[in-house]
Amino acid sequence: MSRSVTKWISSWFSSSKKLPSNLIMKQANKGRFRITINERGFLDSQNNATLTCEVPGSTTIISIVPEGAAVKKGDIVCELDSSSLEEKARQAEIDVTKAEASFSAARENLEIQKTQNASDIAFAQLSLELAELDYNKFMEGELPQQRDQILGQIRLKQEELARKEEAYAFTKRMAKKGYRSPSELEAQRIAMTQAEIQLRVEEENMRVLDKFTAPRTIRELEANAKELVRELDRVERQSAAALAKANAEFESSKLTLEVEKQKYNDWLKHIQLCTLRAPQDGQIVYANSSSGRRGGSGEPDIIEGATVRERQAIVKIPDLSKMKIDARIHESMISQLDLGQPVIIRADAQPGEVYHGVVAMISSVPLSGSFPNYDIKEYQVAINLTDPPERVRMLRPGLSAEFEVVVEDREDVLQVPVQAVVQVGKDYYMWVMTSQKSIQRRQVKVGKSNQTDIEILDGVKPGDSVVMSPRTIFSDDITKLEELLTAKLAAEKLAAGEDAAEAAEDLQEESPRARKPDGEGKPQARKPGGPGGDPAAFFSRLDKDGDGLISKEEAPAQLQGAFSSADTDGDGSLSPAELKAHAANRPQ
């Protein structure tokens, strides 16, 4: 809001000379200013150890340490009946002995079969190697030699043909010029033809060798070698089959022995699991269900002589020297939290005792609310207690506690109760007692606020007396102030060529009564139909402490279930505007 508008508005209001009879005054004081987040949660151990029954099927508790007893790491906590397991372990030991005898016989048979196979295969391989030598002798010695001889003749004939062709070409050029006779030319042609014929003869010899002589000899040698290869293959396959059979018997006996040993070791392990030892120091807590036994007798699940099933929890051993608080924080306040922030804790079971802690964990993903408030988003928070172990041991898991997270803590801050400040548009106002015993409205500059007080940066001095709940006492003046602001802003927008109707919307957005800093004042009258017919009277009846807000404790039973959905800003209380909006949205 511009200075000109503020100055223009101030001229419409003068200090009140007649003091209302229902004035409540508070002094603006400098002091410690602390911004905190107050919530409730439940105590739990940072390190919980649970001992469960790991014996298959079911068994019986023979002995167990009394509930509440202190134990050390390694102490025997519970003993389960192991008589049936010991009988099964003895039978498993007999089966292991039989499996070891079968395994030894199969191992010897396997070694004998390997030796026999080696002899048979070695003889077949020798025969094959001799046939391969004959084949290689022809392929690498005789055949290349024959080919080289023919190729040598071919090269000689090719060179001779080349010379004859050159001589014939030269004679032909000379004959055209008249230097050679036709007979000489014909003689050169005949010589060239003879050279071509001789070259073709040698090439034909190469063709006969490659196509007939060499393939026939190679086929004979290959046939002999292939037959011996097949013989070697038959010997190898027969040997492999015999070896596979012996090896299968060996592996089967080996696997049987391993399985029998595993069974035996499992029974021994199950016998050991019948003795439950404490994994850490702590106090014994029986893992009893709240409903007792299934038959409805009300007897606890955990007791000497009781039957327990596999994976059933028997006892819990929380570390009472390290405790924490598990809680949920509304998404509107999560931005103020940070790891390591100090926390003041008060447990319901220890009235008057104050504990200390730090924020240790803040979940990164919000959790959905429970029925019927699924739209509420909350974050899981863990607070570790930092007091000495002897003090922490006074607490127990499951106890409820109230904690106060210290977001900001400063000294020598000028502050007044939040009920003394009224927001109009973007400006904040207070009503102050002057030295002439009259009430003066002042525009103030505010800072941060907590649950009860708001920081004053300018406009009020320490020791000034301010009016509490001015929206209730000076409601007519505040309404007139809002109307004048709307009119002035509309005039300025018209002068600037803008839509004057936006002025009222701008003022409403800047000064919504549902989010004013003092959170007080009676709601504006509306049409009948709200709770009790008269919304203002209904709100006043509910606001028992007169702070201008309805807490959950003050809300009637019919409003308790929908309190969270009606509390749109998530501050834990309902303003007049929130109550009005909730009533308007209710099904008729």
Side-chain angles (χ1 to χ4, degrees):
M1 189 184 301
S2 64
R3 291 179 176 270
S4 60
V5 174
T6 304
K7 184 177 179 181
W8 182 79
I9 292 299
S10 299
S11 64
W12 285 77
F13 296 89
S14 58
S15 300
S16 302
K17 299 201 185 228
K18 184 178 180 182
L19 300 180
S21 59
N22 57 344
L23 277 183
I24 300 177
M25 308 297 294
K26 294 287 184 179
Q27 280 192 342
N29 295 315
K30 279 191 173 184
R32 187 177 186 180
F33 186 75
R34 173 180 287 180
I35 298 177
T36 61
I37 297 176
N38 297 326
E39 281 293 343
R40 294 184 64 83
F42 295 94
L43 286 162
D44 195 5
S45 174
Q46 297 182 31
N47 185 15
N48 269 314
T50 302
L51 299 180
T52 60
C53 174
E54 299 183 27
V55 179
S58 60
T59 185
T60 305
I61 298 176
I62 296 178
S63 64
I64 188 170
V65 174
E67 188 170 20
V71 294
K72 297 292 184 180
K73 182 178 180 180
D75 290 350
I76 296 178
V77 174
C78 178
E79 289 184 325
L80 305 176
D81 183 15
S82 61
S83 57
S84 61
L85 301 177
E86 292 172 354
E87 178 63 29
K88 293 178 180 178
R90 286 191 291 270
Q91 181 60 45
E93 188 176 8
I94 296 173
D95 295 337
V96 169
T97 304
K98 293 179 180 179
E100 286 177 343
S102 299
F103 174 71
S104 298
R107 182 174 55 193
E108 292 300 324
N109 292 335
L110 178 61
E111 294 300 324
I112 294 172
Q113 187 62 51
K114 287 181 179 178
T115 304
Q116 182 64 42
N117 290 350
S119 299
D120 295 343
I121 293 174
F123 179 78
Q125 286 177 341
L126 178 60
S127 300
L128 176 60
E129 287 176 2
L130 295 176
E132 289 177 344
L133 286 175
D134 293 339
Y135 175 79
N136 292 334
K137 176 183 176 184
F138 177 76
M139 293 297 296
E140 298 177 6
E142 296 174 356
L143 180 59
Q145 185 179 13
Q146 295 176 15
R147 290 178 60 86
D148 290 343
Q149 291 176 354
I150 296 174
L151 286 174
Q153 292 296 323
I154 290 174
R155 291 192 185 96
L156 290 175
K157 299 303 179 183
Q158 287 175 343
E159 292 177 358
E160 184 177 353
L161 175 61
R163 289 194 301 270
K164 296 296 183 181
E165 287 177 345
E166 290 179 357
Y168 173 71
F170 177 77
T171 303
K172 191 176 182 179
R173 290 196 301 271
M174 294 296 103
K176 288 183 179 180
K177 296 179 180 180
Y179 299 115
R180 292 287 186 275
S181 63
S183 59
E184 292 176 331
L185 178 62
E186 182 64 18
Q188 292 294 333
R189 187 189 66 77
I190 292 173
M192 182 183 68
T193 303
Q194 289 176 347
E196 290 177 348
I197 293 172
Q198 292 174 357
L199 176 61
R200 284 197 295 270
V201 170
E202 295 299 333
E203 290 177 344
E204 182 65 18
N205 290 337
M206 177 62 74
R207 188 183 71 83
V208 171
L209 177 64
D210 289 340
K211 189 172 182 180
F212 300 105
T213 305
R216 181 181 181 280
T217 304
I218 292 172
R219 187 168 299 177
E220 288 179 356
L221 297 174
E222 286 180 343
N224 293 333
K226 287 181 179 179
E227 180 59 28
L228 292 175
V229 169
R230 287 191 289 270
E231 178 64 20
L232 176 61
D233 182 64
R234 284 193 295 271
V235 172
E236 289 179 341
R237 292 168 71 91
Q238 290 172 356
S239 300
L243 181 62
K245 180 179 179 181
N247 191 60
E249 293 175 354
F250 170 76
E251 292 295 336
S252 176
S253 61
K254 180 182 178 181
L255 181 59
T256 301
L257 177 59
E258 292 176 352
V259 170
E260 295 300 334
K261 283 185 176 180
Q262 184 63 45
K263 289 181 180 178
Y264 177 62
N265 292 332
D266 287 344
W267 290 121
L268 294 180
K269 182 180 178 181
H270 293 153
I271 293 173
Q272 293 177 353
L273 293 175
C274 289
T275 302
L276 280 65
R277 297 181 180 272
Q280 64 183 26
D281 296 351
Q283 190 177 40
I284 296 297
V285 177
Y286 289 175
N288 291 325
S289 63
S290 58
S291 59
R293 289 186 177 271
R294 183 172 296 182
S297 62
E299 296 180 3
D301 295 328
I302 306 304
I303 192 174
E304 289 186 3
T307 300
V308 291
R309 65 184 183 280
E310 185 178 3
R311 291 189 293 274
Q312 178 181 348
I314 298 178
V315 294
K316 297 179 180 179
I317 307 178
D319 185 358
L320 300 182
S321 64
K322 297 179 180 179
M323 301 291 287
K324 67 176 180 176
I325 294 179
D326 291 326
R328 290 189 175 190
I329 302 295
H330 193 272
E331 60 181 341
S332 62
M333 295 181 288
I334 201 65
S335 61
Q336 302 180 54
L337 284 182
D338 198 3
L339 296 178
Q341 286 177 329
V343 182
I344 300 173
I345 302 165
R346 296 176 178 85
D348 294 352
Q350 298 290 337
E353 293 288 338
V354 177
Y355 297 86
H356 303 84
V358 294
V359 178
M361 187 277 293
I362 304 173
S363 64
S364 58
V365 179
L367 306 174
S368 298
S370 56
F371 178 83
N373 303 314
Y374 294 117
D375 56 333
I376 294 179
K377 301 296 181 183
E378 296 175 322
Y379 287 79
Q380 187 73 29
V381 175
I383 297 167
N384 291 347
L385 275 70
T386 58
D387 292 284
E390 55 271 14
R391 292 204 68 222
V392 176
R393 287 193 181 95
M394 299 170 60
L395 304 173
R396 292 292 180 268
L399 297 178
S400 58
E402 180 180 347
F403 63 90
E404 186 177 356
V405 181
V406 181
V407 178
E408 185 175 332
D409 194 0
R410 290 181 288 155
E411 298 289 347
D412 200 30
V413 176
L414 180 61
Q415 53 194 293
V416 298
V418 293
Q419 293 90 341
V421 181
V422 173
Q423 180 184 1
V424 179
K426 294 181 178 180
D427 297 329
Y428 296 88
Y429 296 91
M430 294 175 60
W431 279 255
V432 184
M433 177 75 74
T434 65
S435 58
Q436 291 80 21
K437 301 300 181 182
S438 62
I439 301 300
Q440 181 185 42
R441 177 177 53 81
R442 293 184 190 175
Q443 183 176 348
V444 295
K445 183 178 180 182
V446 301
K448 297 182 178 180
S449 64
N450 55 26
Q451 299 288 338
T452 58
D453 299 297
I454 185 169
E455 179 184 7
I456 302 299
L457 302 178
D458 190 21
V460 175
K461 303 186 300 297
D464 286 349
S465 296
V466 298
V467 178
M468 297 291 290
S469 303
R471 189 175 288 276
T472 302
I473 301 173
F474 303 105
S475 59
D476 293 339
D477 290 346
I478 295 173
T479 301
K480 187 175 182 181
L481 177 60
E482 292 174 342
E483 293 174 352
L484 290 173
L485 283 174
T486 304
K488 182 60 178 178
L489 290 175
E492 290 181 351
K493 285 184 175 290
L494 285 174
E498 301 179 13
D499 186 1
E502 295 180 357
E505 296 179 2
D506 292 343
L507 184 63
Q508 184 68 17
E509 293 176 358
E510 294 171 359
S511 180
R513 295 196 177 186
R515 298 187 346 225
K516 55 185 177 296
D518 58 351
E520 50 76 30
K522 293 183 180 179
Q524 296 296 313
R526 64 180 181 88
K527 296 180 180 180
D534 183 1
F538 178 77
F539 189 94
S540 298
R541 290 197 302 271
L542 296 181
D543 186 16
K544 298 180 178 59
D545 57 2
D547 63 346
L549 297 170
I550 298 176
S551 63
K552 192 168 184 179
E553 291 74 16
E554 294 174 330
Q558 61 269 29
L559 188 57
Q560 289 281 346
F563 190 90
S564 298
S565 59
D567 183 18
T568 55
D569 59 359
D571 63 351
S573 58
L574 299 182
S575 66
E578 287 175 325
L579 184 63
K580 176 181 178 181
H582 174 68
N585 294 331
R586 288 189 313 160
Q588 299 298 325

